[in-house]
Amino acid sequence: MTICPLCLNKGSFSQMNGPDKRMYLCCDVCKLVFTTTSFLPTRKEEEKRYKQHNNGIEFPGYVKFLNQAIEPALPLLSKEMRGLDYGCGPTPTLSVLLEQQEIKCENYDPIFFPELPEGLFDFVFATECFEHFFLPAREMQKIKNLLKPGGILIIMTEKWTKPEVFSRWTYAKDQTHVTFYHADTFRYISVKYKFNTLESSNPRVIMMQKEEVEAAVSELITL
Ligand SMILES: [Zn+2]
């Protein structure tokens, strides 16, 4: 039986033509496109692929790429905050760039830095990692639990738009890219996980703020 790895819908999917031989399904509920489990890469294949990326502070192209996520988030960040780069890869770079702005950011990666730092964070960056999630439902819950109420989540991933574009989309050609998000998928995520969407001028960057549960509760008490 097929289950959507984000909304856990069991019944309604449309098959999508992708740019390679993998089989893609689009969830009719949350519009997540995902590869079926037989096409998921092994941990070894993933590790090999990630080590091929030219990542690191010494690569100006990569720094420029990451700055797409940092720049819109910077006005929301301050030196007193504690942040996390979720899925930092083999060569943590975003945390180094933030340190240059005197903003503390720790690193986590399930393969390369598997020890999750303890405690809660004021912000979490997840740049170019959502598309690698086998189970976005589990990862989103994990990220939500890492954030303080009112904490900021900054995601960078390329969104899919139309089936006819998806069928020749180079972003879906990478075998480690296994889940693809539509603008509607992020709307689903913000409602389901109780985040408020923040404005972003870059379609590749999605910013959202975890709801201030405490504030809502205290408002109820005063009513
Ligand atoms: Zn779904």
Side-chain angles (χ1 to χ4, degrees):
M1 187 209 291
T2 304
I3 299 175
C4 170
L6 174 60
C7 75
L8 312 179
N9 150 48
K10 290 180 189 138
S12 52
F13 305 100
S14 315
Q15 202 166 326
M16 293 264 285
N17 290 322
D20 54 17
K21 287 184 175 157
R22 293 189 294 174
M23 183 175 167
Y24 297 92
L25 293 176
C26 177
C27 172
D28 294 340
V29 176
C30 70
K31 284 185 101 169
L32 181 84
V33 173
F34 57 100
T35 57
T36 48
T37 47
S38 60
F39 293 102
L40 292 175
T42 63
R43 192 42 81 93
K44 264 200 167 153
E45 285 167 338
E46 280 192 290
E47 196 174 334
K48 192 177 160 208
R49 175 78 187 107
Y50 300 149
K51 283 181 177 166
Q52 288 168 352
H53 289 303
N54 281 338
N55 292 355
I57 196 84
E58 68 274 30
F59 293 101
Y62 185 56
V63 168
K64 194 177 167 203
F65 181 69
L66 284 181
N67 270 329
Q68 288 185 84
I70 294 176
E71 274 163 15
L74 265 186
L76 305 169
L77 310 182
S78 71
K79 291 172 189 171
E80 295 74 38
M81 289 183 171
R82 181 185 184 221
L84 181 71
D85 181 6
Y86 192 94
C88 60
T91 322
T93 308
L94 191 127
S95 54
V96 180
L97 294 171
L98 286 172
E99 263 162 42
Q100 291 172 352
Q101 308 279 341
E102 294 177 54
I103 294 167
K104 289 181 287 293
C105 182
E106 291 167 65
N107 293 303
Y108 166 73
D109 188 283
I111 298 177
F112 303 103
F113 295 86
E115 215 165 300
L116 199 54
E118 271 182 47
L120 297 177
F121 295 88
D122 298 287
F123 63 88
V124 170
F125 275 88
T127 59
E128 299 303 304
C129 74
F130 265 61
E131 64 279 8
H132 299 287
F133 290 163
F134 291 10
L135 291 169
R138 189 177 65 188
E139 303 289 347
M140 243 338 273
Q141 192 57 53
K142 201 165 145 190
I143 291 171
K144 186 184 175 180
N145 293 346
L146 286 166
L147 279 166
K148 293 178 186 173
I152 314 280
L153 170 61
I154 305 106
I155 300 163
M156 185 156 77
T157 189
E158 212 171 306
K159 287 189 284 241
W160 77 272
T161 51
K162 294 173 191 163
E164 55 273 29
V165 178
F166 189 87
S167 64
R168 46 189 167 80
W169 196 29
T170 48
Y171 198 66
K173 270 188 170 174
D174 185 321
Q175 301 300 295
T176 62
H177 290 184
V178 295
T179 39
F180 306 93
Y181 305 74
H182 190 273
D184 289 345
T185 317
F186 283 112
R187 277 190 272 277
Y188 171 86
I189 287 175
S190 66
V191 172
K192 166 94 193 273
Y193 295 92
K194 297 191 166 59
F195 278 78
N196 295 313
T197 306
L198 304 173
E199 209 171 297
S200 163
S201 55
N202 183 344
R204 201 185 180 110
V205 179
I206 300 98
M207 297 203 293
M208 40 178 95
Q209 183 169 30
K210 182 172 164 177
E211 280 185 8
E212 294 265 11
V213 183
E214 278 86 348
V217 170
S218 63
E219 261 172 43
L220 276 176
I221 292 166
T222 42
L223 278 174

